[in-house]
Amino acid sequence: MDLTFLGTASCFPLPSRGVSCIVFRRDGECWMFDCGEGSQIQIHESNIKPGKLTKIFITHLHGDHLFGLPGLMCTIGQTSSEKELPLELYGPTGLRKYIRVSLELSRSMLGFDYVVHELSVPEEELPEDWETWHPKHTADTGPVHPNEKEGRLIKPDENGVWHCCETNQMKVMAAPITHRIPSFGFVLHEKPQPGKLDPQKLKDRGVPPGPLYAKIKNGEAIITEAGETIRPDDVLGPKRPGRKIVILGDTSCNSKIAAISRNADVLVHEATLENELREKCVGNGHSTPEMAAEFANDINARKLILTHFSQRYRPAAHELKEGEESVTKLLEQAKRVFINKDLIAAEDLMQVSIPAKK
């Protein structure tokens, strides 16, 4: 399990840094979180194969988190000969219309099907200028793109949690975070994993090393040549707890997602501007390093990864000219606050491994 940071900048891409885009990978399957302009260039610079993407999650509809999506979808169609399952996309209401209109007006056929699942936006999350500038977000009229299949409207449960999807190994939940437009953070929770296999116990019962070992480790019972049924509990140790990853988009307050974020193994949090510019930062719906570290402490996160840096801060490895500053300044400010101390500033194309729990 790992995270690959394809873009770590805010606002607009530069040759030295792309805008928001993260890929979560587990056992070869890839899920993308945000897709800013230029993400398809960044993905070709990485070891992520576009055809391996099965789900894309969009935190909000600002361009630096979204403008790369139509182009990436076209790239997937051109670089993947056969994509059996549809590409599933998740994001706030308006995502379906954005994708449909972009593909329709450019007359782009994909060669694969896609599904958009929209997260309903509560009235209290609407921006202050909603009544003066209220674009039509729904795509309930007009033609449907030939590759588009019907998606769901996801509504919150009684605890204010949006349940996005669930696989055999993972589940993804969302909750609102505060920004200038409706924005969501996502929590990826791995289900409890099988315990460690004791191969000697299988050998003692006449099972030679081979495919049956993998089958029982995956939680399936096996039958020996002698007709004996061996269940996973017979040869596996205690189950291991699953890992939890919290990925937040642009935010100045995370109170509504805190409950489902507790005890995260990894928290990815923006740190757009330094602490001294907090008033300006919050006014634009963003966070400082101190704010990111305080939330990490609040949810007892084990690891904090900072990202979404203003272009005024150069990458850490960049040779600074007189008067320039790097993201190292933001990292040092967060270090003074974050209790657990496992803290890094993301860089483009950085890959962060998330080890299994013991």
Side-chain angles (χ1 to χ4, degrees):
M1 182 184 290
D2 56 54
L3 294 173
T4 301
F5 289 82
L6 298 182
T8 59
S10 65
C11 198
F12 55 87
L14 288 176
S16 60
R17 189 193 285 151
V19 285
S20 295
C21 187
I22 302 170
V23 174
F24 165 81
R25 181 167 50 183
R26 185 188 187 280
D27 293 340
E29 185 177 7
C30 299
W31 298 351
M32 179 176 283
F33 291 81
D34 285 335
C35 186
E37 180 183 357
S39 294
Q40 60 174 318
I41 297 175
Q42 295 290 88
I43 201 169
H44 287 297
E45 293 290 330
S46 73
N47 62 1
I48 304 293
K49 295 182 180 179
K52 293 291 186 180
L53 289 171
T54 57
K55 301 182 191 297
I56 299 178
F57 299 83
I58 301 296
T59 60
H60 65 293
L61 303 185
H62 273 157
D64 59 334
H65 295 253
L66 181 70
F67 281 168
L69 189 51
L72 176 66
M73 293 174 70
C74 292
T75 296
I76 293 173
Q78 293 180 8
T79 58
S80 305
S81 56
E82 291 186 10
K83 193 172 182 62
E84 297 179 1
L85 298 175
L87 178 67
E88 293 191 276
L89 301 105
Y90 300 81
T93 301
L95 179 61
R96 180 179 294 116
K97 181 179 179 182
Y98 174 78
I99 295 174
R100 184 185 297 176
V101 172
S102 298
L103 296 178
E104 283 178 349
L105 294 182
S106 60
R107 304 184 71 84
S108 299
M109 296 298 293
L110 299 177
F112 64 89
D113 292 333
Y114 74 91
V115 180
V116 180
H117 305 295
E118 292 189 314
L119 282 62
S120 65
V121 175
E123 187 171 343
E124 62 268 21
E125 298 298 327
L126 300 178
E128 293 180 359
D129 65 350
W130 188 254
E131 295 304 323
T132 57
W133 186 19
H134 184 178
K136 188 173 185 292
H137 284 69
T138 57
D140 49 9
T141 60
V144 175
H145 188 276
N147 295 119
E148 181 185 338
K149 302 302 178 186
E150 185 177 359
R152 297 178 288 131
L153 176 63
I154 304 172
K155 297 183 178 181
D157 65 12
E158 64 277 6
N159 297 314
V161 177
W162 282 248
H163 296 269
C164 299
C165 59
E166 186 169 349
T167 68
N168 289 336
Q169 300 294 338
M170 301 288 298
K171 61 180 179 180
V172 181
M173 301 172 288
I177 53 180
T178 301
H179 190 46
R180 300 196 311 276
I181 65 172
S183 186
F184 289 88
F186 294 99
V187 177
L188 293 71
H189 203 170
E190 183 183 42
K191 297 177 182 179
Q193 298 299 295
K196 188 175 181 180
L197 175 68
D198 186 340
Q200 189 59 50
K201 288 184 178 180
L202 284 173
K203 292 177 183 177
D204 292 345
R205 299 172 79 162
V207 182
L212 291 180
Y213 279 45
K215 188 174 182 180
I216 200 164
K217 192 169 183 179
N218 286 331
E220 301 177 52
I222 62 174
I223 300 177
T224 67
E225 291 184 357
E228 179 188 6
T229 298
I230 303 177
R231 294 176 175 80
D233 290 345
D234 298 332
V235 293
L236 296 179
K239 285 190 175 182
R240 295 170 294 154
R243 291 159 281 188
K244 181 187 285 190
I245 299 95
V246 178
I247 300 177
L248 305 183
D250 294 1
T251 177
S252 60
C253 179
N254 305 310
S255 59
K256 293 182 179 179
I257 200 170
I260 60 173
S261 300
R262 304 228 180 269
N263 300 316
D265 294 279
V266 177
L267 167 65
V268 180
H269 198 297
E270 65 128 299
T272 304
L273 293 171
E274 61 198 76
N275 294 340
E276 291 77 5
L277 300 175
R278 179 169 181 146
E279 184 176 351
K280 177 182 178 181
C281 192
V282 173
N284 289 323
H286 294 296
S287 296
T288 64
E290 182 180 55
M291 293 167 64
E294 287 173 344
F295 182 69
N297 290 339
D298 180 49
I299 65 169
N300 190 34
R302 293 176 178 83
K303 187 183 192 72
L304 172 61
I305 305 177
L306 302 179
T307 187
H308 196 268
F309 308 116
S310 166
Q311 299 291 11
R312 72 169 65 199
Y313 308 104
R314 303 303 184 191
H318 190 87
E319 186 175 341
L320 299 180
K321 299 177 182 178
E322 185 177 354
E324 289 185 336
E325 295 179 308
S326 79
V327 299
T328 302
K329 179 176 185 178
L330 307 178
L331 184 65
E332 292 302 319
Q333 290 186 340
K335 280 182 178 179
R336 294 199 290 266
V337 179
F338 184 44
I339 295 173
N340 289 338
K341 304 302 181 185
D342 189 355
L343 169 67
I344 58 175
E347 298 179 5
D348 282 27
L349 305 181
M350 173 187 283
Q351 193 171 93
V352 180
S353 179
I354 307 170
K357 291 184 175 180
K358 296 182 180 180

